[in-house]
Coordinates of all heavy atoms in Angstrom, one line a residue:
Chain A
H396 N -42.1 42.4 16.3 CA -43.6 42.0 16.6 C -44.4 42.8 15.5 O -45.5 42.3 15.1 CB -43.9 42.5 18.0 CG -45.3 42.0 18.4 ND1 -45.8 40.8 18.0 CD2 -46.2 42.6 18.9 CE1 -47.1 40.7 18.5 NE2 -47.4 41.8 19.0
A397 N -44.0 44.0 15.2 CA -45.0 44.8 14.3 C -45.0 44.2 13.0 O -45.9 44.3 12.1 CB -44.3 46.3 14.2
L398 N -43.9 43.5 12.5 CA -44.0 42.8 11.2 C -45.2 41.9 11.2 O -45.6 41.6 10.1 CB -42.7 42.0 11.0 CG -41.5 42.8 10.8 CD1 -40.2 42.0 10.7 CD2 -41.6 43.6 9.4
K399 N -45.6 41.4 12.4 CA -46.9 40.4 12.4 C -48.1 41.4 12.5 O -49.2 41.1 11.8 CB -46.8 39.5 13.6 CG -45.6 38.5 13.6 CD -45.8 37.4 14.7 CE -44.6 36.6 14.8 NZ -43.4 37.3 15.4
L400 N -48.0 42.3 13.3 CA -49.3 43.1 13.5 C -49.6 44.1 12.2 O -50.9 44.2 12.0 CB -49.0 44.1 14.6 CG -49.1 43.5 16.0 CD1 -49.1 44.7 17.1 CD2 -50.4 42.8 16.2
I401 N -48.7 44.3 11.5 CA -49.0 45.4 10.4 C -49.9 44.7 9.2 O -51.0 45.1 9.1 CB -47.8 46.0 9.7 CG1 -47.2 47.0 10.7 CG2 -48.0 46.6 8.4 CD1 -45.7 47.4 10.4
P402 N -49.6 43.3 9.0 CA -50.4 42.7 8.0 C -51.7 42.2 8.7 O -52.8 42.2 8.0 CB -49.6 41.3 7.5 CG -48.3 41.5 8.1 CD -48.3 42.7 9.1
E403 N -51.7 41.9 9.9 CA -52.9 41.6 10.7 C -53.9 42.7 10.6 O -55.1 42.5 10.4 CB -52.5 41.1 12.1 CG -53.5 40.5 12.9 CD -53.1 40.2 14.3 OE1 -52.0 39.8 14.4 OE2 -53.8 40.4 15.3
Y404 N -53.5 43.9 11.0 CA -54.3 45.0 11.0 C -54.9 45.5 9.6 O -55.9 46.1 9.5 CB -53.6 46.2 11.8 CG -53.4 46.0 13.3 CD1 -54.0 44.9 13.9 CD2 -52.8 47.0 14.1 CE1 -53.8 44.6 15.3 CE2 -52.7 46.7 15.5 CZ -53.3 45.4 16.1 OH -53.2 45.3 17.3
A405 N -54.0 45.2 8.7 CA -54.3 45.6 7.4 C -55.5 44.6 6.9 O -56.5 45.0 6.3 CB -53.2 45.4 6.5
R406 N -55.4 43.4 7.4 CA -56.5 42.4 7.1 C -57.9 42.8 7.7 O -58.8 42.8 7.2 CB -56.1 41.0 7.6 CG -55.3 40.2 6.4 CD -55.1 38.8 6.8 NE -54.5 38.5 8.0 CZ -53.2 38.4 8.2 NH1 -52.4 38.5 7.1 NH2 -52.6 38.1 9.3
S407 N -57.7 43.1 9.0 CA -58.9 43.6 9.8 C -59.5 44.8 9.2 O -60.7 45.0 9.2 CB -58.8 43.6 11.3 OG -57.6 44.3 11.6
F408 N -58.6 45.7 8.7 CA -59.1 46.9 8.0 C -59.8 46.5 6.8 O -61.0 47.1 6.6 CB -57.9 47.8 7.7 CG -58.3 49.2 7.1 CD1 -58.4 50.1 8.1 CD2 -58.4 49.4 5.9 CE1 -58.8 51.3 7.6 CE2 -58.8 50.7 5.4 CZ -58.9 51.6 6.3
R409 N -59.3 45.7 6.0 CA -60.0 45.4 4.8 C -61.4 44.7 5.2 O -62.4 44.9 4.6 CB -59.2 44.3 4.1 CG -59.7 43.7 2.7 CD -59.0 42.5 2.1 NE -59.1 41.5 3.2 CZ -58.2 40.6 3.2 NH1 -57.2 40.4 2.3 NH2 -58.3 39.6 4.1
D410 N -61.4 43.9 6.2 CA -62.6 43.2 6.6 C -63.6 44.3 7.0 O -64.8 44.0 6.8 CB -62.4 42.3 7.7 CG -61.6 41.0 7.3 OD1 -61.4 40.9 6.1 OD2 -61.0 40.5 8.3
R411 N -63.3 45.4 7.7 CA -64.2 46.4 8.0 C -64.5 47.3 7.0 O -65.7 47.6 6.7 CB -63.8 47.0 9.4 CG -64.7 48.2 9.8 CD -64.6 48.4 11.2 NE -64.9 47.3 12.0 CZ -66.4 47.0 12.4 NH1 -67.3 47.8 12.0 NH2 -66.6 45.9 13.2
F412 N -63.6 47.8 6.2 CA -63.7 49.0 5.4 C -63.8 48.4 3.9 O -64.1 49.3 3.0 CB -62.5 50.0 5.6 CG -62.5 50.6 6.9 CD1 -61.8 49.9 7.9 CD2 -63.2 51.7 7.2 CE1 -61.7 50.4 9.2 CE2 -63.2 52.3 8.5 CZ -62.4 51.7 9.5
G413 N -63.5 47.3 3.6 CA -63.7 46.7 2.3 C -62.6 47.1 1.4 O -62.9 47.1 0.1
R414 N -61.5 47.5 1.7 CA -60.5 47.8 0.7 C -59.1 47.5 1.3 O -58.9 47.4 2.5 CB -60.5 49.3 0.2 CG -60.2 50.3 1.3 CD -60.2 51.6 0.8 NE -60.3 52.6 1.9 CZ -61.4 53.0 2.4 NH1 -62.6 52.8 1.9 NH2 -61.4 53.9 3.5
E415 N -58.1 47.2 0.3 CA -56.7 46.9 0.7 C -56.0 48.2 1.0 O -55.9 49.1 0.0 CB -56.0 46.2 -0.5 CG -56.8 44.9 -0.9 CD -56.3 43.7 0.0 OE1 -55.4 43.9 0.8 OE2 -57.0 42.5 -0.1
S416 N -55.5 48.2 2.1 CA -54.6 49.3 2.5 C -53.6 49.0 3.5 O -53.9 48.1 4.4 CB -55.5 50.6 3.1 OG -55.9 51.4 2.1
G417 N -52.4 49.5 3.3 CA -51.4 49.2 4.4 C -50.8 47.8 4.1 O -50.6 47.3 3.0
G418 N -50.3 47.1 5.2 CA -49.7 45.9 5.1 C -48.1 46.1 5.0 O -47.7 47.3 5.0
L419 N -47.3 45.1 4.8 CA -45.9 45.4 4.8 C -45.5 45.7 3.4 O -44.7 46.7 3.2 CB -45.2 44.0 5.1 CG -45.3 43.6 6.6 CD1 -44.7 42.2 6.8 CD2 -44.7 44.5 7.6
L420 N -46.0 45.0 2.3 CA -45.7 45.3 1.1 C -46.7 44.7 0.1 O -47.5 43.8 0.6 CB -44.3 44.8 0.7 CG -43.9 43.3 1.0 CD1 -44.4 42.4 0.1 CD2 -42.4 43.1 1.2
R421 N -46.7 45.0 -1.0 CA -47.7 44.3 -2.1 C -47.0 44.3 -3.4 O -46.2 45.2 -3.9 CB -49.1 45.1 -2.1 CG -49.0 46.4 -2.4 CD -50.4 47.1 -2.4 NE -50.2 48.5 -2.4 CZ -50.4 49.2 -1.3 NH1 -50.6 48.7 -0.1 NH2 -50.2 50.6 -1.4
G422 N -47.4 43.3 -4.1 CA -46.9 43.2 -5.5 C -47.9 43.6 -6.5 O -49.1 43.6 -6.3
Y423 N -47.4 44.1 -7.7 CA -48.1 44.4 -8.8 C -47.4 43.7 -10.1 O -46.4 43.9 -10.4 CB -48.0 46.0 -9.1 CG -48.9 46.3 -10.3 CD1 -50.4 46.4 -10.3 CD2 -48.3 46.8 -11.6 CE1 -51.0 46.7 -11.3 CE2 -48.9 47.1 -12.6 CZ -50.4 47.2 -12.6 OH -51.2 47.5 -13.6
R424 N -48.3 42.7 -10.6 CA -47.8 41.9 -11.7 C -46.4 41.2 -11.4 O -45.5 41.2 -12.3 CB -47.7 42.8 -13.0 CG -49.1 43.5 -13.3 CD -49.2 44.1 -14.7 NE -49.4 43.2 -15.7 CZ -49.8 43.6 -17.0 NH1 -50.0 44.7 -17.2 NH2 -50.1 42.7 -17.9
A425 N -46.4 40.9 -10.3 CA -45.0 40.4 -9.7 C -44.8 38.9 -9.9 O -43.6 38.5 -9.8 CB -44.9 40.9 -8.2
D426 N -45.9 38.1 -10.0 CA -45.8 36.7 -9.7 C -44.7 36.1 -10.8 O -44.0 35.2 -10.4 CB -47.2 36.1 -9.9 CG -48.0 36.4 -8.7 OD1 -47.4 36.9 -7.7 OD2 -49.2 36.2 -8.7
D427 N -44.9 36.5 -12.0 CA -44.0 35.8 -13.0 C -42.9 36.8 -13.4 O -42.2 36.5 -14.5 CB -44.8 35.5 -14.2 CG -45.6 36.6 -15.0 OD1 -45.6 37.6 -14.3 OD2 -45.9 36.6 -16.2
A428 N -42.8 37.9 -12.8 CA -41.8 38.9 -13.3 C -40.3 38.5 -13.0 O -40.0 37.9 -12.1 CB -42.1 40.1 -12.4
E429 N -39.7 38.7 -14.1 CA -38.1 38.5 -14.1 C -37.4 39.7 -13.6 O -36.3 39.6 -12.9 CB -37.6 38.1 -15.4 CG -38.1 36.8 -15.9 CD -37.9 36.5 -17.5 OE1 -37.4 37.3 -18.1 OE2 -38.4 35.4 -17.9
M430 N -38.0 40.8 -13.8 CA -37.5 42.1 -13.2 C -38.5 42.7 -12.4 O -39.6 42.9 -12.6 CB -37.1 43.2 -14.3 CG -36.7 44.6 -13.9 SD -36.3 45.8 -15.1 CE -34.6 45.2 -15.3
L431 N -38.0 43.0 -11.1 CA -39.0 43.6 -10.0 C -38.4 45.0 -9.7 O -37.2 45.0 -9.3 CB -39.0 42.6 -8.8 CG -40.1 41.5 -8.9 CD1 -40.1 40.5 -7.8 CD2 -41.6 41.9 -9.1
V432 N -39.3 46.0 -9.7 CA -39.0 47.2 -9.3 C -39.4 47.3 -7.8 O -40.5 46.8 -7.3 CB -39.7 48.3 -10.1 CG1 -39.3 49.8 -9.6 CG2 -39.4 48.1 -11.5
V433 N -38.6 47.9 -7.0 CA -39.0 48.2 -5.5 C -39.0 49.7 -5.4 O -38.0 50.4 -5.7 CB -37.9 47.6 -4.5 CG1 -38.4 47.8 -3.2 CG2 -37.9 45.9 -4.8
A434 N -40.1 50.2 -4.7 CA -40.3 51.6 -4.6 C -41.3 51.8 -3.4 O -42.0 50.9 -3.0 CB -40.8 52.3 -5.9
M435 N -41.3 53.1 -3.0 CA -42.2 53.5 -1.9 C -42.9 54.8 -2.3 O -42.3 55.7 -2.9 CB -41.4 53.7 -0.6 CG -40.5 52.5 -0.2 SD -40.0 52.8 1.5 CE -38.9 54.2 1.4
G436 N -44.2 54.8 -1.8 CA -44.9 56.1 -2.0 C -45.6 56.3 -3.4 O -45.7 55.4 -4.2
S437 N -45.8 57.6 -3.7 CA -46.8 57.8 -4.9 C -46.0 57.6 -6.1 O -46.9 57.3 -7.2 CB -47.0 59.3 -4.8 OG -46.0 60.1 -4.8
I438 N -44.8 57.3 -6.2 CA -44.1 57.0 -7.5 C -44.7 55.6 -8.0 O -44.5 55.4 -9.3 CB -42.6 57.1 -7.4 CG1 -42.0 56.9 -8.8 CG2 -42.0 56.0 -6.4 CD1 -42.4 57.9 -9.7
C439 N -45.0 54.8 -7.0 CA -45.6 53.4 -7.6 C -46.5 53.5 -8.5 O -46.7 52.6 -9.4 CB -45.9 52.8 -6.2 SG -44.6 52.4 -5.1
G440 N -47.5 54.7 -8.6 CA -48.5 54.8 -9.6 C -47.9 54.9 -10.9 O -48.3 54.2 -11.9
T441 N -46.9 55.8 -11.1 CA -46.2 56.0 -12.4 C -45.6 54.6 -12.8 O -45.6 54.2 -14.0 CB -45.2 57.1 -12.3 OG1 -45.8 58.2 -11.7 CG2 -44.6 57.5 -13.7
I442 N -44.9 54.2 -11.9 CA -44.1 52.7 -12.3 C -45.2 51.7 -12.7 O -44.8 51.0 -13.6 CB -43.4 52.3 -10.9 CG1 -42.3 53.2 -10.7 CG2 -42.8 51.0 -11.1 CD1 -41.5 53.0 -9.3
K443 N -46.3 51.7 -12.1 CA -47.3 50.6 -12.5 C -47.7 51.0 -14.0 O -47.8 50.0 -14.8 CB -48.5 50.7 -11.7 CG -48.4 50.1 -10.3 CD -49.7 50.2 -9.4 CE -49.5 49.6 -8.1 NZ -50.6 50.0 -7.2
D444 N -47.8 52.2 -14.3 CA -48.2 52.6 -15.8 C -47.1 52.1 -16.6 O -47.3 51.6 -17.7 CB -48.3 54.1 -15.9 CG -49.7 54.5 -15.2 OD1 -50.5 53.8 -15.1 OD2 -49.9 55.7 -15.2
V445 N -45.8 52.3 -16.3 CA -44.7 51.9 -17.2 C -44.6 50.5 -17.3 O -44.4 49.8 -18.2 CB -43.3 52.4 -16.5 CG1 -42.1 51.8 -17.2 CG2 -43.3 54.0 -16.5
I446 N -45.0 49.7 -16.1 CA -45.0 48.2 -16.2 C -46.0 47.8 -17.0 O -45.8 46.7 -18.0 CB -45.1 47.7 -14.7 CG1 -43.9 47.9 -13.9 CG2 -45.7 46.3 -14.8 CD1 -44.1 47.6 -12.5
D447 N -47.2 48.3 -16.9 CA -48.1 47.9 -18.1 C -47.8 48.1 -19.4 O -48.1 47.3 -20.3 CB -49.5 48.7 -17.7 CG -50.3 48.4 -16.4 OD1 -49.9 47.3 -15.9 OD2 -51.1 49.2 -16.0
E448 N -47.1 49.3 -19.7 CA -46.6 49.6 -21.1 C -45.6 48.6 -21.5 O -45.6 48.0 -22.6 CB -46.1 50.9 -21.2 CG -47.3 52.0 -21.1 CD -46.8 53.4 -20.6 OE1 -45.6 53.6 -20.5 OE2 -47.6 54.3 -20.4
M449 N -44.6 48.3 -20.6 CA -43.6 47.3 -20.9 C -44.1 45.9 -21.0 O -43.6 45.1 -21.8 CB -42.5 47.3 -19.8 CG -41.7 48.7 -19.9 SD -40.3 48.9 -18.8 CE -39.1 47.7 -19.4
R450 N -45.0 45.5 -20.2 CA -45.6 44.2 -20.2 C -46.3 44.0 -21.7 O -46.3 43.0 -22.3 CB -46.8 44.1 -19.2 CG -46.2 43.7 -17.9 CD -46.1 42.3 -17.7 NE -45.4 41.9 -16.3 CZ -45.2 40.7 -16.0 NH1 -45.6 39.6 -16.8 NH2 -44.8 40.4 -14.9
E451 N -46.9 45.1 -22.4 CA -47.6 45.0 -23.6 C -46.4 44.7 -24.7 O -46.6 44.0 -25.5 CB -48.0 46.5 -24.0 CG -49.1 46.8 -23.1 CD -50.6 46.5 -23.8 OE1 -50.7 46.5 -24.9 OE2 -51.2 45.8 -22.9
E452 N -45.3 45.2 -24.3 CA -44.1 44.9 -25.2 C -43.4 43.7 -24.9 O -42.4 43.2 -25.4 CB -43.1 46.0 -25.1 CG -43.7 47.4 -25.5 CD -42.7 48.5 -25.0 OE1 -41.5 48.3 -24.9 OE2 -43.2 49.7 -24.8
G453 N -43.8 42.9 -24.0 CA -43.3 41.5 -23.7 C -42.4 41.4 -22.6 O -41.9 40.4 -22.3
F454 N -42.0 42.7 -21.9 CA -41.1 42.5 -20.8 C -41.8 41.9 -19.5 O -43.0 42.3 -19.2 CB -40.6 44.0 -20.3 CG -39.6 44.5 -21.3 CD1 -40.0 45.2 -22.4 CD2 -38.2 44.3 -20.9 CE1 -38.9 45.8 -23.2 CE2 -37.3 44.8 -21.9 CZ -37.7 45.6 -23.0

Side-chain angles (χ1 to χ4, degrees):
Chain A
H396 183 50
L398 289 171
K399 297 189 186 73
L400 283 186
I401 290 167
E403 187 183 318
Y404 288 0
R406 274 194 299 277
S407 55
F408 187 90
R409 182 192 59 205
D410 293 346
R411 176 156 296 278
F412 297 91
R414 62 176 169 268
E415 301 280 353
S416 272
L419 296 172
L420 50 81
R421 57 178 166 263
Y423 179 76
R424 305 185 83 162
D426 288 344
D427 64 337
E429 289 164 5
M430 173 177 278
L431 277 172
V432 182
V433 179
M435 303 192 294
S437 62
I438 187 58
C439 292
T441 312
I442 293 174
K443 283 176 183 173
D444 286 349
V445 172
I446 285 170
D447 289 345
E448 289 157 9
M449 289 181 72
R450 282 269 178 182
E451 295 275 310
E452 299 164 27
F454 282 92

